[in-house]
Amino acid sequence: MTKFTHFNEQGRAKMVDISQKEETIRIAIAHSSIIVSKVIYEEIANGTNKKGDVFAVAQVAGIMTAKQTSQIIPMCHPIALKSVNITFDWLIDEEKNHYEINIETEVKTKGSTGVEMEALTAASVTALTIYDMCKAADKNMIIGPTMLLKKSGGKSGDYIRSSQK
């Protein structure tokens, strides 16, 4: 039977001891998306959203959240991040009235534990921030799926998702 690492001898939650783990370069890449209306697409593309530059604000929110992940996910270790990069790509099919923003987050550190949660949290909050910035125009947006695409470094080795959706 698998031994759960986040439980103590009494079966209660604990933060895993990483003091003996080797420091390595850790990288995680996560993805999320948000489907928006044509009106929102045009607001973002034309820079006419009443709250400001949607991508700039969402990008800063994602970066800030990556740095604060241990404050909101109980068993995450505080990590000194070395890099956080967030990119946006549009997936548009005008015939189907489909306007989707693909969000990719890449988080790096050199440390004793991985940065998967930081990348996933950044992707999630970036999408939520886009929703918040655009909800006055249309509340029909759909967020997700959110997933880990890739991770490297550490004892468990590399991971690459075999399919995105």
Side-chain angles (χ1 to χ4, degrees):
M1 187 162 158
T2 303
K3 182 180 177 188
F4 293 105
T5 58
H6 284 75
F7 293 105
N8 67 15
E9 57 281 349
Q10 295 177 331
R12 298 215 171 277
K14 73 170 187 174
M15 182 183 259
V16 173
D17 181 357
I18 60 169
S19 60
Q20 300 302 314
K21 289 176 77 177
E22 180 182 348
E23 281 198 359
T24 61
I25 304 268
R26 315 282 184 132
I27 301 170
I29 300 172
H31 166 88
S32 192
S33 64
I34 182 166
I35 298 171
V36 301
S37 65
K38 184 175 184 176
V39 170
I40 292 173
Y41 163 70
E42 289 173 349
E43 279 188 2
I44 294 171
N46 297 325
T48 57
N49 182 281
K50 292 177 184 175
K51 291 187 177 183
D53 184 334
V54 173
F55 286 168
V57 173
Q59 195 166 33
V60 170
I63 291 167
M64 289 174 61
T65 302
K67 297 189 314 182
Q68 296 299 316
T69 299
S70 67
Q71 298 293 314
I72 57 174
I73 308 291
M75 298 304 159
C76 286
H77 292 83
I79 299 174
L81 301 180
K82 306 302 182 196
S83 173
V84 179
N85 188 31
I86 300 173
T87 58
F88 305 96
D89 288 305
W90 284 100
L91 176 61
I92 299 170
D93 186 337
E94 289 185 355
E95 287 181 16
K96 294 181 179 178
N97 198 33
H98 182 86
Y99 301 87
E100 183 174 356
I101 303 165
N102 286 308
I103 301 160
E104 189 170 287
T105 60
E106 181 181 69
V107 179
K108 295 180 184 179
T109 195
K110 182 176 183 184
S112 302
T113 191
V115 287
E116 297 98 295
M117 293 308 300
E118 288 72 12
L120 287 161
T121 304
S124 299
V125 170
T126 299
L128 288 167
T129 302
I130 292 170
Y131 185 98
D132 180 56
M133 296 283 293
C134 299
K135 67 186 179 201
D138 182 11
K139 292 175 180 53
N140 238 3
M141 294 170 275
I142 300 170
I143 295 174
T146 302
M147 67 196 84
L148 181 67
L149 297 179
K150 182 179 178 181
K151 80 119 192 139
S152 63
K155 186 173 130 182
S156 66
D158 295 349
Y159 166 83
I160 298 175
R161 177 171 290 280
S162 59
S163 69
Q164 188 163 336
K165 291 186 180 182

